[in-house]
Amino acid sequence: MQTQASKRQFLRTAGIAAVAAIIAPRLAGASPAEVAAEIKKLYGDKKMESGRIKLDVPQIAENGLVVPINVEVESPMTSADFVKSVHVYAEKNPLPAVVSYKFTPEAGKAAASTRMRLAETQDIVVVAEMSNGQIFSTRAEVKVTIGGCGG
Amino acid sequence: MISRREFLQATAAAGLITSASGLGPLGRAAAQQRITQADITRFDNLGAVTILHITDVHAQLLPLYFREPSVNLGVGEGKGKPPHLTDDEFRKHFNIAAGSPDAYALTSDDFVQLARNYGRMGGMDRIATLIKSVRAERGDDKVLLLDGGDTWQGSWTSLQTKGQDMVDIQSALKIDAMASHWEFTYGADRVQEIVKSAPFAFLAQNVRSLEWQEPVFEARKMFERGGAKIAVIGQALPRTAVANPRWMFPDWEFGIREDDIRKQVEEARAEGADVVVLLSHNGFDVDRKLASRVKGIDVILTAHTHDAMPGVVREGETIIIASGSHGKFLSRLDLEVKAKKVTGFRYKLMPIFSDVITPDPDMKALVEKIRAPFEKDLSRELATTESLLYRRGNFNGTFDDLICKAMLEERDAEISLSPGFRWGGTLVPGDAITFDALANATAMTYPNCYRNTMSGEQLRLVLEDVADNIFHPDPYFQGGGDMVRVGGLGYSIDVSKPINQRITDLVELKSGKPLDLKRNYVVAGWGSIAQNVEGPPIWDVVEKYLARVKTVRLEPNTSVKVTGA
């Protein structure tokens, strides 16, 4: 073994800051069960239907701090048939409710984009409520990786 | 569907092998084989379009040894299928005789003996000869030359000239278009600077500005060859911002962008394309999945995962070509186009046996001119190796064993980590380890060798994260590259398990004790994607070590135990 005078200098390096950012101790995350309970508070035991929602998130986040999300719900958006609200949840974030949107028929279409921070790899859950009371839901996994080491 | 016979028709150097029977010890049988330049270029013309493909050259100007992997596991649908076959299985699948030139070029066993028989492969002057010969035979107006990227990085001269050496080579070869990945590690400004003045197209449909989601580069280009309109769509490595330091190109976003490829295909057809080619840096398994989901692509020229396959793989109507790496191969694909459709194809993976191909004098002069200012550094002999030094393979390679050992000793660390890159040449026993050879395994723009503390649990999580990047059963979650190499640490891995369940039995090699997940360890590593990493460049660390030991002799590495394959 060989020691070096400059060793101490290297000990304060940010060498693997990216690793630390992902796996450092952090606030306890929520759980899928907590998110399910939140949704139940809003809609009780109503049936969740699939379809209608187009959820566009990256499969692998390039930067977990700002993950793009684009949601679009198919609807004629007339006064008789429109999307009332859309809720986005990140199942394992410390505060899992990411954003809620309210729509009116005047919106023309039920679409919204934003960016969210994701603490770790998890499912994004989207719930959409229609004017006739129907509830639609979908989910997609976003992987948050330490990265590096690519070929 | 084509028959197996047709599929095998175009093995690497078809016609070289007279008989697979009666072979004695591999080496001796191999020595009896003879290869000529004419054997390598021999091709039965088809149609009026020839596509030449070279990829993942990693800035290798000169012929080199490059040992293909002995471990290259496939998971999910890729399991047991090419390119996830090695050695005997590979040879059986592609009908290649053990000990033959093809076996040397494409498989790993008996490498040292075969390397002595068949010599180094690649070299830009040899490649120039083959390209010129195809152009002369077919006519310039029929040949399209495409480069899959990972061209500007991987040598001392490319690092010192920020990729200019390879841009000059690409210009001299008259490539028509390129894809990209490691190119981005010279930073956004440098990439833009080259792209603006280069005489070839830099195509990347999947790079967007973060703020406005606008395309950063030209997505595709239409070429006319042999009377056919050929649309080439470029695809950068979708995981560039995850696999490499994002801070070097902070305003750019990547991703596969499958829907956008569909749009590109539609637009190309609407513009009258007879042939649609995806010049991809996705990696083989990603491209195979993509071909099954995006219709209308005639040819995918794949890259990134460094697979060399002496036959095409067909996925639906799409032909997938994998042309290897480091300048070892040049692919030739002839297409017959009738009534705006590809009606036939013929393919050959041309192995670049440097001893039998006459170097092109102009290219030879250019390579010499590029290397001359750096010759003093390049030729410096640091040590001699008594062991075979190679990198490629899913879990470890002897070159990385050497690097990990150097880090442990020179940086006084308990554990060392070396990234699972797939680039870097091979040295055979008896070879001098020159600075040139060391740079071929280390030259990159974020080489700092850090020294830090990590808990056992953090180390475990790093291994799990990297393993998931290689062994996720869905190719769209795979990033390419191999497993991070470890020094001072052993583990077991079950590749069939999901994330956080693959890595077990972590052990400190020095004490033989289980890794203490709660304790902090002193860890040295290099190739971190974080910003402001402190520490000397990895080549300095290894050079110091080599200067001390003078002779490299490595014991077989049994520290990683693999199951679930």
Side-chain angles (χ1 to χ4, degrees), chain B residues 81-139:
Chain B
K81 284 188 201 163
H84 300 288
L85 302 172
T86 51
D87 294 337
D88 206 33
E89 283 183 342
F90 188 102
R91 289 190 295 268
K92 266 188 198 139
H93 185 91
F94 289 108
N95 199 20
I96 293 169
S100 66
D102 299 13
Y104 165 61
L106 293 161
T107 56
S108 74
D109 41 1
D110 207 25
F111 185 82
V112 174
Q113 184 58 48
L114 296 179
R116 294 210 162 99
N117 292 340
Y118 295 120
R120 291 181 170 82
M121 296 189 69
M124 285 302 125
D125 49 7
R126 273 74 165 186
I127 286 180
T129 298
L130 291 199
I131 290 170
K132 279 188 179 172
S133 123
V134 174
R135 280 187 171 135
E137 178 211 325
R138 288 289 261 170

Side-chain angles (χ1 to χ4, degrees), chain A residues 10-108:
Chain A
F10 298 119
L11 280 172
R12 59 180 166 77
T13 175
I16 42 173
V19 173
I22 302 285
I23 60 185
R26 56 171 174 255
L27 285 172
S31 68
E34 284 171 56
V35 169
E38 283 296 312
I39 295 168
K40 199 170 173 181
K41 266 191 225 166
L42 291 174
Y43 301 117
D45 288 324
K46 273 196 166 173
K47 189 184 161 219
M48 296 280 159
E49 300 183 46
S50 59
R52 290 253 200 142
I53 305 172
K54 186 170 175 263
L55 169 59
D56 192 12
V57 285
Q59 287 172 309
I60 300 179
E62 298 197 357
N63 178 0
L65 298 176
V66 280
V67 181
I69 171 170
N70 183 49
V71 186
E72 200 169 334
V73 186
E74 222 179 282
S75 164
M77 294 302 273
T78 59
S79 54
D81 182 1
F82 64 97
V83 180
K84 274 175 77 178
S85 57
V86 172
H87 309 281
V88 178
Y89 301 93
E91 283 188 333
K92 292 187 183 172
N93 268 9
L95 298 168
V98 175
V99 65
S100 291
Y101 298 101
K102 304 279 183 204
F103 293 95
T104 64
E106 285 73 34

Side-chain angles (χ1 to χ4, degrees), chain A residues 115, chain B residues 208-215 251:
Chain A
R115 298 197 170 228
Chain B
R208 296 282 185 286
S209 67
L210 205 55
E211 186 75 25
W212 299 102
Q213 292 293 300
E214 286 168 339
D251 300 329

Side-chain angles (χ1 to χ4, degrees), chain B residues 477-556:
Chain B
F477 285 89
Q478 294 168 10
D482 284 314
M483 192 64 187
V484 57
R485 281 46 176 148
V486 289
L489 180 67
Y491 64 91
S492 298
I493 177 167
D494 183 340
V495 300
S496 68
K497 291 268 169 58
I499 190 165
N500 283 328
Q501 295 173 34
R502 291 190 182 96
I503 309 289
T504 53
D505 305 329
L506 285 148
V507 58
E508 302 168 23
L509 292 182
K510 205 171 171 188
S511 65
K513 281 194 267 183
L515 189 78
D516 183 346
L517 297 182
K518 294 200 174 79
R519 169 158 110 66
N520 278 337
Y521 291 85
V522 178
V523 179
W526 65 290
S528 165
I529 58 172
Q531 204 163 359
N532 302 318
V533 178
E534 290 182 39
I538 186 64
W539 49 83
D540 281 358
V541 175
V542 179
E543 179 166 357
K544 264 191 188 169
Y545 173 79
L546 291 174
R548 217 155 43 75
V549 300
K550 300 276 194 302
T551 303
V552 171
R553 192 181 309 120
L554 295 164
E555 300 304 319

Side-chain angles (χ1 to χ4, degrees), chain B residues 39-117:
Chain B
D39 293 328
I40 294 167
T41 54
R42 183 176 301 128
F43 197 100
D44 198 4
N45 287 346
L46 179 78
V49 176
T50 292
I51 295 174
L52 295 176
H53 181 232
I54 185 165
T55 192
D56 295 88
V57 169
H58 283 287
Q60 295 303 308
L61 299 172
L62 300 182
L64 83 172
Y65 296 119
F66 184 87
R67 177 190 180 272
E68 299 295 333
S70 50
V71 180
N72 190 24
L73 304 176
V75 286
E77 295 199 351
K79 192 174 176 175
K81 284 188 201 163
H84 300 288
L85 302 172
T86 51
D87 294 337
D88 206 33
E89 283 183 342
F90 188 102
R91 289 190 295 268
K92 266 188 198 139
H93 185 91
F94 289 108
N95 199 20
I96 293 169
S100 66
D102 299 13
Y104 165 61
L106 293 161
T107 56
S108 74
D109 41 1
D110 207 25
F111 185 82
V112 174
Q113 184 58 48
L114 296 179
R116 294 210 162 99
N117 292 340

